[in-house]
Amino acid sequence: MEILEYGDPKNKKIILIHGFQCPYQIWNDYIEYYKNNYFVIVPILEGHNVNDKENFISFDICAKDIEEYYIKRYGNKVFAIYGMSMGGILASYIWKNKNIEIEKLILESSPLLSWNKFMTNYFTKWYLNITHKTQNRDERTIKQAIGTIISEDKVDVFLELFDHLSDKTIINCVQEVGKFNLPSDINTPNTEIYYFYGSKINEILFRKVAHYLKKNYQNTTTICLKGKGHCEDALINPEEHIKTLNKVLKK
């Protein structure tokens, strides 16, 4: 796994974990903003690095890679981990492994409750279909993506990533997401948990996750982003979302 770093390593450290089918460059605005006051660490998840041929295998492997890298260089404490969508599952693996003490765990629209087999098969076929259409430059599919999952200025890196994504990575990612169920008994009383989710119809699952976290973890703060879809501000309006994140980071 390639891991990028920005800023002064003497500063508090923030790990930014991107989501499925998402180029790491979605963090560019966040890196530019935060690197002056924090040390920003950006892993490029397996299967999502256009400069190598590795496939995504499992969250467990990814978590161990990040932990080994981080602990060797910076010890076993981190100020914040922010996991977007599927990246929140990877952040949750690091949390439940308890090899790194996390002060602030920030998750956004992360699918932390398992799906049934039917849903896993459905989403596997759906993501394969969307990926193949994008790789074939289906105009309608690309137009639908702009403004919903990617901003117009990042279309080139979005297409470059999709050209690189293998069927094996897609299948493994969806299956890993489908079977993940966040434990209800992770004992880390010093970890503050923040869960962002939208109010549009495609956020119904994540509303359930928010309730689950509140029920099982007293240190959880849930934030509903009214009128927003899946990671909408995080992906499309980073300047606005940074303001929201700052309310958490500066607490």
Side-chain angles (χ1 to χ4, degrees):
M1 178 188 292
E2 184 176 0
I3 298 179
L4 309 175
E5 298 179 338
Y6 307 88
D8 186 345
K10 294 179 182 178
N11 291 335
K12 289 183 177 180
K13 290 152 186 78
I14 300 176
I15 301 175
L16 304 177
I17 305 178
H18 65 79
F20 174 51
Q21 294 192 324
C22 194
Y24 79 88
Q25 290 93 334
I26 55 101
W27 295 125
N28 284 352
D29 293 279
Y30 300 84
I31 293 165
E32 286 303 309
Y33 180 86
Y34 286 116
K35 70 180 183 181
N36 295 321
N37 296 307
Y38 298 95
F39 187 59
V40 183
I41 299 168
V42 178
I44 307 177
L45 302 190
E46 275 90 349
H48 291 71
N49 189 339
V50 299
N51 295 318
D52 64 47
K53 295 182 180 180
E54 65 184 354
N55 291 305
F56 174 89
I57 303 300
S58 73
F59 291 115
D60 185 52
I61 292 173
C62 289
K64 287 176 180 176
D65 286 347
I66 293 172
E67 289 169 1
E68 181 180 354
Y69 179 94
Y70 185 90
I71 292 170
K72 182 178 179 180
R73 290 163 177 78
Y74 309 114
N76 65 346
K77 294 183 179 180
V78 65
F79 173 62
I81 300 180
Y82 172 30
M84 184 190 299
S85 192
M86 187 190 80
I89 297 181
L90 179 50
S92 296
Y93 262 80
I94 297 171
W95 172 33
K96 75 183 184 69
N97 287 347
K98 295 191 280 190
N99 294 317
I100 297 175
E101 183 179 326
I102 306 166
E103 186 173 335
K104 296 177 185 285
L105 177 66
I106 307 167
L107 309 170
E108 178 154 5
S109 296
S110 299
L112 306 181
L113 299 175
S114 60
W115 303 334
N116 59 40
K117 189 173 181 180
F118 171 81
M119 291 297 291
T120 300
N121 290 338
Y122 170 82
F123 280 118
T124 299
K125 292 177 182 177
W126 189 84
Y127 278 112
L128 285 169
N129 182 45
I130 290 295
T131 303
H132 295 159
K133 283 183 177 181
T134 303
Q135 290 169 342
N136 291 325
R137 297 299 186 266
D138 179 75
E139 188 175 340
R140 183 180 177 185
T141 301
I142 295 170
K143 282 184 176 180
Q144 288 175 338
I146 298 171
T148 55
I149 63 171
I150 198 73
S151 56
E152 194 158 0
D153 63 308
K154 294 184 175 64
V155 171
D156 288 345
V157 293
F158 171 80
L159 293 176
E160 184 182 24
L161 171 61
F162 267 66
D163 287 344
H164 175 79
L165 285 169
S166 69
D167 286 2
K168 184 174 182 180
T169 283
I170 294 166
I171 292 167
N172 288 347
C173 279
V174 177
Q175 289 182 347
E176 281 280 294
V177 170
K179 73 181 184 182
F180 181 72
N181 205 75
L182 183 74
S184 61
D185 58 352
I186 304 171
N187 185 19
T188 55
N190 295 324
T191 299
E192 300 172 11
I193 304 157
Y194 299 88
Y195 190 85
F196 293 94
Y197 63 102
S199 64
K200 289 186 177 179
I201 192 167
N202 63 356
E203 291 289 273
I204 290 175
L205 169 64
F206 309 110
R207 197 178 309 146
K208 292 180 180 179
V209 174
H211 292 323
Y212 179 85
L213 284 167
K214 286 286 285 186
K215 177 183 177 181
N216 293 290
Y217 294 99
Q218 293 182 348
N219 290 350
T220 296
T221 300
T222 59
I223 301 116
C224 180
L225 304 174
K226 300 291 186 180
K228 302 297 181 180
H230 188 67
C231 298
E232 183 176 330
D233 277 349
L235 293 168
I236 309 301
N237 305 306
E239 290 183 4
E240 190 64 29
H241 198 55
I242 284 169
K243 296 176 186 176
T244 304
L245 284 178
N246 281 343
K247 294 176 183 178
V248 169
L249 294 171
K250 295 181 179 181
K251 273 191 175 183

